[in-house]
Amino acid sequence: MDPRGGMDPKEREVFEYALLRVVPRVERGEQINAGVVVYCQAESYVEARVHLDERRLLALDPTADVAGVRAALHAVEGICAGGARAGQAACDDAGRRFRWLIAPRSTVVQPGPVHTGLTGDPRAEPERLLDLLVR
């Protein structure tokens, strides 16, 4: 710790993250950012935060299944949380759950590319990135 009470800059941890994108009509390739998944191996930590802007989604596709998209986004949160909400992934460690979630798919909710960063507080990153990249 540094004298100001925060983490010493030398004690920052590497973390990885991927945006969750909603692609309502895959053939058109249009998308909106609707969440973020963050993983920190050193902390064995994985978490997702989501925010669906229904107005933006419906602007891309007025027939979009908003309830279905919302359910898919909340399923990602459940997989990150582990336990009963994670289904078959419940016994997997945080790293395996993250890798499974970021695997490419051709569904309406898709992960973006993985990025890395350094942080003194991995648990603060999901909300920070959600504010920065989604809201």
Side-chain angles (χ1 to χ4, degrees):
M1 288 228 156
D2 75 9
R4 294 165 291 185
M7 182 174 265
D8 185 319
K10 296 175 191 164
E11 295 179 26
R12 294 187 301 172
E13 301 290 350
V14 173
F15 73 97
E16 300 173 72
Y17 70 94
L19 286 168
L20 297 174
R21 299 173 173 167
V22 177
V23 186
R25 295 177 57 193
V26 176
E27 69 277 8
R28 290 182 60 126
E30 298 168 330
Q31 63 191 20
I32 62 169
N33 294 341
V36 64
V37 181
V38 173
Y39 170 60
C40 178
Q41 180 180 10
E43 300 279 327
S44 190
Y45 170 77
V46 65
E47 187 168 344
R49 293 281 170 81
V50 300
H51 173 80
L52 180 60
D53 185 332
E54 291 181 23
R55 195 177 92 232
R56 289 181 66 206
L57 174 59
L58 293 172
L60 292 179
D61 182 2
T63 66
D65 177 4
V66 174
V69 169
R70 193 173 299 286
L73 290 168
H74 289 305
V76 172
E77 289 178 316
I79 290 167
C80 288
R85 290 185 62 196
Q88 291 179 329
C91 295
D92 290 342
D93 64 32
R96 286 182 55 95
R97 290 195 310 272
F98 178 72
R99 298 286 172 234
W100 186 83
L101 288 168
I102 62 162
R105 345 184 125 61
S106 61
T107 61
V108 172
V109 175
Q110 300 178 6
V114 175
H115 304 279
T116 60
L118 292 172
T119 184
D121 185 3
R123 286 169 170 67
E125 290 302 323
E127 194 66 28
R128 184 186 75 80
L129 291 169
L130 192 71
D131 285 339
L132 180 67
L133 303 170
V134 177
R135 291 188 180 128

